[in-house]
Amino acid sequence: MSSDDALSWTNWARTASATPRRRASPRDEAELGDLVARAAADGTTVRAVGAGHSFTPAAVTDGLLLNLDRIGLVERITRGTSAPGEADADAILVTVGAGIRLHRLNEALAAAGLAMRNLGDIDRQSIAGAISTGTHGTGAGLGGLATQVRGVRVVGADGEVREASATQDRDLFELSRLGLGVTGVLSAVTLEVVPAFLLRAQEEPWPLDRVLEGLGTPDDVDGLVGGNDHFEFYWFPHTRRALTKRNNRLAPDEEAAELERLRTTGPGPVARARTWVDEELLSNGAFELVNRLATAVPRVTPRLNAVSARALAPRTYVAPSHQVFVTSRRVRFREMEYAVPRERLVDVLSSIDDWLNRSGEHVPFPVEVRFAAPDDVWLSTAHGRETAYVAVHQYARLPHERYFDAVERIVAEVGGRPHWGKLHGLGADRFRELYPRFDDAVAVRDAADPAGVFANAYTDQVLGRAPGAFARG
């Protein structure tokens, strides 16, 4: 094996790769600070990587590539001791090493009787990578993971560790909790968590028109979105069918009875079995075969999607929250996701459907639709507006560019904001139009890292280049 082979890195989706000058996995915060300071002094750029689940080249560098897996312990859990303005007086705060993977964090929280109030549907990422790219779940009253962050420790280009929160170095906090790592390398994250809870998951195939008619407005507490704690659906292109997912917390007395049942008899047969979404729609060999057949014979794609959509059977089960939120993804794909104003969702989906019918493009992967509450995080895709997320996927063996370009043109008409860690073609000029606090974010980046130590081509594209950035190869 050549030295370049030993250093090379490729992301999960195989859409980005790098051959850094050096790779390192620091054992602790002190070693991390030393590595960063020495790299900066040498004029070397620094990026950190977790699971490589971003589809963009967010982690790419030709300098020092850091893996933070060894900085991944639960440091402390505090209850009701938060500072005014940071959280409620009875908040539960958990501080963890920034490299901890979400699945290990979920396990650690569950062992302590705790949970995150909302999660995305993949748990392979590090907490640092997940918050820095704007990872989110679904729920009309809930924000993305960054809204659960109450404090950070970040290592700057001088190797020094800075603490930031809503009441300490507020601007640094805002960009560090969702900012692609451009202020420095996160070494620790403090999250506000909640007591562990169960969810009742209901998965049902519905006609797409019934779903769209039942979504409800942001003020409608009886609609599918407002009437459920967590609602999402998967639309099968070339059909008018969708799989709906409704996840709701149990009433206190019902949860107590279910916990006792789980303690004494264990999970029932449905809970033990992976859901159809896990094992058939998104992860297992059957879906791989469907996509390979669609690749080999594209014209059969509509029929394959119709068969898949009509083969779905309703399921209802109860399980701990993190087990319901998370699905396994073993079929490799490309993804682009845009946040659009919730009131424009139906228009967007209709336009995508029209384009597919006109274009002759064949798409065997479902379109995933989720929802989020407005928030005030500077670079959050849900900043200041009720949001619907439209995620389009394409099988890795099929070309995705034409499809994604068409969707990107459609969402541009409604002010769509792309997920920071998924494929898109936008640059800083457009982001300045989409985000009211964009210039504030750039100013904080320029102050925290004027030399561009933590920059790469992707951060230059989306935020513009720092004025004092040194030359990079």
Side-chain angles (χ1 to χ4, degrees), residues 205-212 240-242 244:
W206 284 16
L208 178 63
D209 294 327
R210 179 185 173 192
V211 176
L212 299 181
R240 301 298 292 177
R241 302 287 295 177
T244 62

Side-chain angles (χ1 to χ4, degrees), residues 15-341:
T15 54
S17 60
T19 304
R21 187 181 308 171
R22 185 183 177 195
R23 297 182 67 168
S25 181
R27 292 165 295 182
D28 53 33
E29 197 171 63
E31 185 178 358
L32 171 60
D34 183 61
L35 285 165
V36 170
R38 284 192 283 122
D42 291 341
T44 299
T45 55
V46 178
R47 295 296 290 169
V49 66
H53 240 288
S54 288
F55 294 80
T56 69
V60 166
T61 182
D62 58 4
L64 172 63
L65 185 63
L66 294 168
N67 180 289
L68 303 183
D69 283 351
R70 297 166 76 183
I71 305 178
L73 298 178
V74 176
E75 294 185 6
R76 63 182 179 273
I77 299 174
T78 57
R79 300 172 186 260
T81 58
S82 56
E86 291 187 3
D88 295 334
D90 58 352
I92 307 170
L93 303 181
V94 177
T95 299
V96 298
I100 193 170
R101 301 296 179 94
L102 288 176
H103 64 96
R104 296 194 181 279
L105 173 59
N106 291 334
E107 292 166 359
L109 291 175
L114 303 170
M116 295 183 69
R117 61 169 50 91
N118 201 14
L119 287 165
D121 55 7
I122 297 175
D123 64 357
R124 300 295 101 180
Q125 310 102 309
S126 67
I127 186 64
I131 65 172
S132 295
T133 55
T135 296
H136 61 90
T138 189
L142 296 161
L145 267 62
T147 66
Q148 301 173 52
V149 177
R150 296 292 174 264
V152 296
R153 295 204 305 268
V154 57
V155 177
D158 57 3
E160 295 298 314
V161 179
R162 293 167 176 80
E163 295 195 34
S165 69
T167 57
Q168 177 181 350
D169 207 342
R170 176 68 180 264
D171 287 355
L172 180 65
F173 170 68
E174 288 295 348
L175 190 57
S176 297
R177 66 170 166 164
L178 199 173
L180 295 169
V182 296
T183 63
V185 179
L186 289 173
S187 58
V189 177
T190 297
L191 302 160
E192 183 178 350
V193 297
V194 297
F197 59 98
L198 301 178
L199 286 173
R200 172 175 286 106
Q202 296 172 276
E203 300 173 4
E204 292 182 315
W206 284 16
L208 178 63
D209 294 327
R210 179 185 173 192
V211 176
L212 299 181
E213 291 167 4
L215 292 176
T217 66
D219 297 326
D220 184 0
V221 297
D222 296 320
L224 288 171
V225 181
N228 291 282
D229 293 334
H230 312 270
F231 176 74
E232 64 184 298
F233 66 94
Y234 295 84
W235 163 48
F236 291 81
H238 317 295
T239 80
R240 301 298 292 177
R241 302 287 295 177
L243 176 69
T244 62
K245 294 183 67 178
R246 292 170 287 163
N247 300 329
N248 289 287
R249 295 182 69 150
L250 279 60
D253 56 343
E254 189 179 13
E255 183 168 64
E258 185 65 26
L259 286 170
E260 178 61 20
R261 186 191 67 77
L262 289 171
R263 186 184 69 80
T264 56
T265 65
V270 174
R272 281 196 298 266
R274 300 305 295 269
T275 68
W276 194 94
V277 172
D278 262 351
E279 288 303 315
E280 302 297 333
L281 178 57
L282 295 174
S283 64
N284 80 356
F287 191 54
E288 176 75 34
L289 290 176
V290 166
N291 278 272
R292 290 198 179 205
L293 181 56
T295 302
V297 190
R299 68 178 182 275
V300 305
T301 300
R303 278 180 285 168
L304 289 172
N305 286 4
V307 169
S308 295
R310 293 193 175 278
L312 302 180
R315 284 183 183 266
T316 299
Y317 65 99
V318 174
S321 59
H322 66 278
Q323 295 179 16
V324 173
F325 287 136
V326 172
T327 60
S328 173
R329 303 289 183 103
R330 297 202 304 268
V331 178
R332 205 172 301 274
F333 57 89
R334 312 284 187 253
E335 181 176 0
M336 181 177 75
E337 180 179 64
Y338 264 83
V340 301

Side-chain angles (χ1 to χ4, degrees), residues 359-379:
S359 69
E361 193 82 359
H362 295 108
V363 180
F365 251 89
V367 175
E368 183 179 14
V369 179
R370 293 179 286 176
F371 302 88
D375 63 52
D376 60 358
V377 181
W378 287 1
L379 295 183

